[in-house]
Amino acid sequence: MKFFIDTANLDQIREAHDLGILDGVTTNPSLMAKEGVKGKDAIMRHYLTICEMVDGPVSAEVFSTTFNEIVAEGEELASIHENIVVKVPMIKDGIKAIKWFTDNNIKTNCTLVFSAGQAILAAKAGATFVSPFLGRIDDSNWDGMQLIEDIVEIYNAQGYLTEVLAASIRTPLHIVKCAAAGADVCTSPLSSILGLLKHPLTDLGLQQFLKDAATMK
Ligand code: G3P
């Protein structure tokens, strides 16, 4: 399973990249706004900076919702860097645009996916990635993991090439369960990635090893 980081924060991207296990980055308008990025030039520069930091897919989301505008905006985003993946919302014009991008060799990430039916449409349109929002489903008192499992099963049964990119990750356990379910990619906040490191027995064990090591100096 590939590890993407779900942020537009350059320090967090750098920290995850320095671990040596980062395969890509996903952003969305909320994450970009959180970094105070304002205006088209600054937005384009920010994406370019991320692409220069991480050698892997970088999802940049369109702000438009109509076919012609999504295509125009997506083409512009894709021209920033070869690793840009145009992130498109799961709406009717979004699906049409994903098909257009597929036919024109532009990579896409179909976002805001909350059902297996939506995931089938994204795959039919040729999306490079589909982003089911695991955490937001859990937040709504439904079973987010079940959706990831269903999409993986359907894609395997149908031989769809679209990669399942589990998004809206809240905890390290989400990452572990996504790996078990066969997700192709998990995009997580830095806190969930670093949370994978933690175990009290590791801390206790290391403490003892260091104590014993000190007696041999
Ligand atoms: O980028 C899409 C997704 O990961 C958003 O996550 O935490 O806002 O539900 P969240």
Side-chain angles (χ1 to χ4, degrees), residues 16-148:
H17 181 254
D18 283 352
L19 272 176
I21 49 90
L22 193 65
D23 300 301
V25 180
T26 52
T27 64
N28 62 40
S30 306
L31 294 170
M32 290 289 282
K34 206 167 144 190
E35 298 312 311
V37 188
K38 275 204 172 91
K40 193 169 157 189
D41 288 351
I43 291 170
M44 306 281 270
R45 267 200 311 276
H46 200 81
Y47 288 136
L48 182 60
T49 305
I50 296 173
C51 288
E52 285 168 348
M53 286 169 76
V54 179
D55 186 21
V58 173
S59 287
E61 189 160 342
V62 296
F63 296 172
S64 320
T65 54
T66 58
F67 174 76
N68 287 332
E69 286 174 334
I70 295 173
V71 165
E73 203 185 334
E75 276 191 298
E76 210 166 347
L77 289 169
S79 74
I80 297 173
H81 192 279
E82 60 181 0
N83 285 346
I84 288 284
V85 174
V86 180
K87 207 171 175 187
V88 181
M90 166 46 72
I91 51 174
K92 200 170 167 187
D93 280 37
I95 287 297
K96 268 177 72 178
I98 287 171
K99 179 68 174 82
W100 188 92
F101 289 130
T102 305
D103 293 343
N104 287 275
N105 292 316
I106 291 174
K107 292 196 170 84
T108 53
N109 175 355
C110 184
T111 189
L112 289 167
V113 166
F114 293 90
S115 77
Q118 291 177 326
I120 290 172
L121 268 183
K124 285 293 291 175
T128 316
F129 300 101
V130 66
S131 287
F133 276 30
L134 172 47
R136 289 194 197 184
I137 295 176
D138 283 357
D139 293 344
S140 313
N141 205 22
W142 288 320
D143 188 351
M145 263 326 297
Q146 187 60 56
L147 176 61
I148 304 292

